[in-house]
Every structure is written in structure tokens, then in C-alpha cells.
Amino acid sequence: MSYIDVHCHLDLQTYGELSSLVEKCGESGVDKIITVGFDLPSSRLAASLAERYAGVYFTAGFHPTELREYGAVKLNEIAALCAHKKCVAVGEIGLDYHYPDTQKQLQKDAFITQLELAASLKLPVQIHSRDCAEDMLKILKEHKNLLVNGALMHCYSHSVEIAVELEKLGFYFSFGGAATWKGSKRANRVIAALSADRLLTETDSPYMPPLSAYGSFPNTPLAIPEICAHMAEIKGVPAETMREKVNCNARALFKKLG
């Protein structure tokens, strides 16, 4: 039985003995983990972890709230990391207008530039999108030519209507522990509305534990089976069917997965 966490943040401090966690994940069936970069140092670390553990893959990119050192030189280093055989996507990139000091134009410019980078490298993108639905959809529609290698909207939080528009652009959508919470009606409506061919499982570890571990820290990829079972319940299919579908979807999107 094989599960995949398509978006988490592994590091060397949060989880205690990381080797032990990766081993436990493998024993529980979570044998593919994508650890996600959010700036240059975290992308380098993600690459090193992918080299250390057979079941770990990674992404590299600049998160919209982590642009302090963003620039052409650092972006070239991101591009070099993306050439790694276990780098499956450029990410996480996108827009985040949640904070009052948001530099919206800088975020938009960095987002588009990284979409262009992914297209040039023939890689998919992992996208972060918070409190920015109108601008996000506008940019993606205007630059849909840059999405031909695939795109994932991670931890999707916008409306069903926007999800339908993004599905038309070929997007995949991943959902984590927050979707299992009792108050997560919007996420559950989106999961119900989307085709199962577009659904993926993530944890965004160490954040957002599932309902069974609500309030605990850190969350880990061990939560993936619970998340997958919750999605299966919403879609009205057996958990095993959903697990197989998620694996198929992940391999369709992330061509470099082993």
C-alpha cells in the first residue's frame, strides 16, 4: 500500500530524528514525500534531504512572503537545483496578500518570472495562493501558456467557482489535514465538485494536523492515510480507490517521481 505527501516541509530541527520519521512513514505506506522549498536555503536543504532518503523528492522556489533575497542571481541558483533528478517542480511560488505589509507588485513579478522559469525547464509548478483570488486567477489565465507542464494549487482555499476555472486550465489540487476539520465546509465542497482525476494529498507539515491530532505539533506525513480516507468519503469511493487515484495523479503531474 503506497501513499504520497505532495507538499510538506521537512527540516533537521522540527521533527526530532528525521531518519526515524522517514522510516516510520515508509512502514505506514507513505513511501513518497515531496519536501518543498520556500527560499534558496530551504530549497538547498530539500535537495540534500532528497539525496539522503530514497522516498523523498523536492521542489525549489521562492514563496511570495520570502522574497527578501529574491533576485536574478538567487533565481539562477534555484534553476540549478531544479535540474536535479529528484526535483519534481518549481515551488512553492504564488501570491499571499494576508499580511498588511504585502508588496503586491513584487509578488506578482516574482510569481510570473518563476512561472517562466518552470516553463523553460519543462517542470510543473506548486502554487501557494492566499487572500489573492482575483489577482491569482487573472495572472494564471493571462499566462496559461506557461502552465503546459502542469500545475498544483496546494492547500486550496478559494471558492468552488474558482476551482472550476482552474480545473479548465489543467490544474491539480491538494488538500491536507485542515480539510478534515469539522468547520472546513468550503474545502469539502471543492473536493466534492472536482474530478477525482485532479485530487492529491498533502500535509503541509509541520502545520495543519488532521482532525485526529487537532492542536498537536508537529504534523507529519504520517497523517496522509487519514486525509486520503476523508477525501474518499467525500467522493463516495473506497479509500483504496482514492489512494490509487492519488498515486496515478501524482505520477501524471510529477514526471520525475521514481
Side-chain angles (χ1 to χ4, degrees), residues 187-205:
N188 291 339
R189 286 197 299 268
V190 174
I191 292 169
L194 291 171
S195 166
D197 292 334
R198 293 288 146 181
L199 298 177
L200 291 165
T201 51
E202 69 160 285
T203 61
D204 204 15
S205 302

Side-chain angles (χ1 to χ4, degrees), residues 209-228:
L211 182 61
S212 68
Y214 188 81
S216 65
F217 184 89
N219 187 27
T220 77
L222 290 167
I224 286 293
E226 180 177 349
I227 294 164
C228 188

